[in-house]
Amino acid sequence: MSNPSSSVPRWQFWIDRGGTFTDVVGKRPDGQLVTHKLLSENPEQYRDAAVAGIRHLLGLAPDAPVTPDRVECVKMGTTVATNALLERKGEPTLLITTRGFKDALRIAYQNRPRLFDRHIVLPELLYSRVVEAQERMGAHGEVIEPLDEEHLKERLWAAYDAGLRSAAIVFMHGYRYTAHEEAAARIARAAGFTQVSASHATSPMMKFVSRGDTTVVDAYLSPILRRYVEQVATEMPGVPLFFMQSSGGLTDAHRFQGKDAILSGPAGGIVGMARTAALAGHGRVIGFDMGGTSTDVSHYAGEFEREFETQVAGVRMRAPMMSIHTVAAGGGSVLGFDGARFRVGPESAGANPGPASYRRGGPLAVTDANVMVGKIQPAHFPRVFGHAANEPLDADAVREKFAALAVQTGRPPEEVAQGFIQIAVQQMANAIKKISVARGYDVTRYTLQCFGGAGGQHACLVADALGMERVFVHPLAGVLSAYGMGLADQNVIREQAVERPLAPEALPDIAATLHALAAAAQAELVQQQAGAGTMAVHQRVHVRYEGSDSALVVPWPDAPAPLEESSPALGDALN
């Protein structure tokens, strides 16, 4: 099918598929924006919420294909990978590693975050089987033991016969000396493995454990993402499809990798927050994104903050991600009373069954507390509930359940509901303190920018708890994460370990490495059909004091001026 002329105005769709709701922002051919919100899971009504939202705004029948003659592109963030990681429902994965290191990722760093716990519950491993390859590269590139390819083939055939189709390859020093990993990847693909993630391509950085965990996550989640991408693309043949990465940039759907998908949805919210705050004249903002499952808080003071090594669901990740702190207090967070105290979360009612007011027999949740005190009016809430997905929230069910709690506590139902709201507000305020006050920022000088479906119900209470005087609510605050998908740029981030003392004689080699990385990133963007004239290259180096573990991220100068003049931060480090 030939693509229509780019001069013909067509629809664009920007979508955030969250844990509870899916938000859709459509840009009409005349430039106007329209929005739609629907439950992420409603199996009686549709197979996929994102595609159903597009069909609704286009006025198509439930099974009609979405075609490129009407749709220019779809930009999307999704929690598919996040949910698979949290629920451990990824692809069964084989770990291929150097002989003698099969338990290295389980042993890891032996961290004890809760020192006095007598019963330590370790996170469930993502890989289900290990193959030890007879090989070993030295730290300086010498071959201590050549790779025994025949031995590895036999082990891979046995794993393939056992039903495994996804493999993660992590060899000692493989990030720097890649020959053995490349050979193992070739053998794995020849054996029939459909997903092969090698650490030198997935996370080419030092530290065996975090490099290995990142590679395993990529192998574990990428097949899940691929199936979801193919499912969506099948219903939209020929329509360009882009996904938001954890780093805050869009990528072509077929290049979307598991390691870059963990914060796909929240990253769109950060982009939307930053762009809209700048347009409104707010230079420093605290992002407060309260959705149905959780609340994401973030700090922005002129540039995006990213983390390069994080821990998600008990797994160490080394991949660029937006710096976001999440707390389990969303509109769907379950309310509980154990006979002595109120609890909010961490369990969530999700979209199915959802809170008690969703007409699916769910438990009381934060949304129900707001219905009880009158902050949510069912008459003005989307009518997407019930078997036909056309009924309002069920306020009667909420009152009935709070009346039962009132009997147990000896307090009026409204007071009980308000108590739960206060607990949720305090949890969210504490989360904001961790990213602001705990890092030396005076939060009272910032604007609280609230967004997400439940943000407006709690923004003023959170601001009061923190002593903040300004709250910014964008007209599209309820769907700002989806709006952010449309405001985001396509980006490619490339990394490489150099590991040299920062001295004048090392600068040419560092510059050459950065130039090669920039060229590779630009080539990939060209393959994704990004316009070459609109590309911008940002170069950063991570410097650390010798013997330390924490790196300082400083910009690399573009101009050939002396380092002290073009990059004072790097010049200070050099001196």
Side-chain angles (χ1 to χ4, degrees), residues 482-559:
Y483 186 49
M485 307 296 169
L487 301 178
D489 300 318
Q490 286 177 252
N491 81 4
V492 173
I493 296 180
R494 287 288 174 266
E495 302 172 287
Q496 184 173 326
V498 176
E499 299 168 45
R500 291 188 59 178
L502 184 60
E505 58 270 19
L507 300 183
D509 288 345
I510 296 173
T513 301
L514 285 169
H515 180 74
L517 291 174
Q522 287 175 307
E524 182 168 330
L525 277 177
V526 169
Q527 291 176 353
Q528 295 186 33
Q529 299 179 348
T534 60
M535 289 187 193
V537 177
H538 302 279
Q539 298 177 335
R540 301 285 186 272
V541 293
H542 293 221
V543 294
R544 56 187 176 88
Y545 290 105
E546 188 173 0
S548 69
D549 195 47
S550 299
L552 302 173
V553 183
V554 295
W556 182 265
D558 296 324

Side-chain angles (χ1 to χ4, degrees), residues 48 202 212 232 265 277 286-287 299 302 343 362 370 458 468 472 478 500-501 548:
D48 182 76
T202 304
V232 174
I286 297 293
H299 171 267
R343 291 180 181 273
N370 283 293
H458 306 87
M468 301 177 74
F472 174 46
R500 291 188 59 178
S548 69

Side-chain angles (χ1 to χ4, degrees), residues 184-540:
R186 170 177 48 80
I187 294 169
R189 292 189 180 98
F193 284 83
T194 55
Q195 171 65 38
V196 179
S197 298
S199 73
H200 72 271
T202 304
S203 180
M205 308 293 285
M206 65 184 295
K207 289 189 178 179
F208 183 86
V209 172
S210 55
R211 170 166 59 95
D213 272 353
T214 305
T215 306
V216 170
V217 165
D218 192 67
Y220 185 73
L221 296 179
S222 291
I224 304 293
L225 283 175
R226 191 181 306 120
R227 286 194 287 271
Y228 181 70
V229 167
E230 289 172 356
Q231 173 191 317
V232 174
T234 300
E235 302 193 60
M236 298 189 299
V239 176
L241 179 61
F242 299 93
F243 277 88
M244 174 63 73
Q245 303 172 97
S246 302
S247 60
L250 295 163
T251 188
D252 181 82
H254 298 288
R255 295 178 180 270
F256 194 34
Q257 293 180 273
K259 71 181 181 68
D260 296 322
I262 304 301
L263 297 179
S264 174
I270 306 300
V271 174
M273 173 194 77
R275 300 278 194 264
T276 55
L279 290 173
H282 301 288
R284 295 183 295 183
V285 294
I286 297 293
F288 170 56
D289 177 8
M290 185 175 180
T293 306
S294 60
T295 294
D296 300 317
V297 296
S298 54
H299 171 267
Y300 181 80
E303 64 179 24
F304 294 120
E305 295 184 352
R306 293 185 175 93
E307 295 179 350
F308 292 86
E309 189 164 358
T310 55
Q311 185 162 324
V312 182
V315 180
R316 291 158 295 274
M317 292 281 298
R318 177 170 285 188
M321 296 186 185
M322 288 290 196
S323 181
I324 299 171
H325 183 66
T326 302
V327 60
S333 293
V334 175
L335 311 181
F337 177 64
D338 59 9
R341 59 178 176 170
F342 291 166
R343 291 180 181 273
V344 176
E347 300 85 4
S348 174
N352 190 8
S357 54
Y358 279 23
R359 298 181 181 271
R360 288 178 178 268
L364 282 176
V366 173
T367 294
D368 300 318
N370 283 293
V371 171
M372 188 67 209
V373 299
K375 288 187 177 179
I376 293 179
Q377 296 291 324
H380 301 288
F381 207 80
R383 291 174 170 259
V384 294
F385 308 101
H387 292 295
N390 60 357
E391 297 182 59
L393 291 170
D394 187 352
D396 293 334
V398 171
R399 284 190 284 268
E400 182 180 330
K401 292 201 172 192
F402 270 111
L405 266 183
V407 173
Q408 296 180 47
T409 60
R411 299 181 179 182
E414 292 80 4
E415 188 176 321
V416 172
Q418 186 60 40
F420 280 117
I421 291 172
Q422 289 174 354
I423 294 171
V425 165
Q426 198 57 53
Q427 290 177 351
M428 294 180 282
N430 289 339
I432 290 175
K433 289 178 182 177
K434 285 186 178 180
I435 62 149
S436 57
V437 177
R439 295 172 55 200
Y441 299 115
D442 183 358
V443 73
T444 62
R445 299 184 179 182
Y446 283 71
T447 299
L448 182 69
Q449 182 166 357
C450 84
F451 51 104
Q457 301 159 27
H458 306 87
C460 292
L461 294 175
V462 171
D464 286 343
L466 295 167
M468 301 177 74
E469 297 179 352
R470 291 183 304 278
V471 176
F472 174 46
V473 184
H474 189 269
L476 293 174
V479 293
L480 196 69
S481 290
Y483 186 49
M485 307 296 169
L487 301 178
D489 300 318
Q490 286 177 252
N491 81 4
V492 173
I493 296 180
R494 287 288 174 266
E495 302 172 287
Q496 184 173 326
V498 176
E499 299 168 45
R500 291 188 59 178
L502 184 60
E505 58 270 19
L507 300 183
D509 288 345
I510 296 173
T513 301
L514 285 169
H515 180 74
L517 291 174
Q522 287 175 307
E524 182 168 330
L525 277 177
V526 169
Q527 291 176 353
Q528 295 186 33
Q529 299 179 348
T534 60
M535 289 187 193
V537 177
H538 302 279
Q539 298 177 335
R540 301 285 186 272

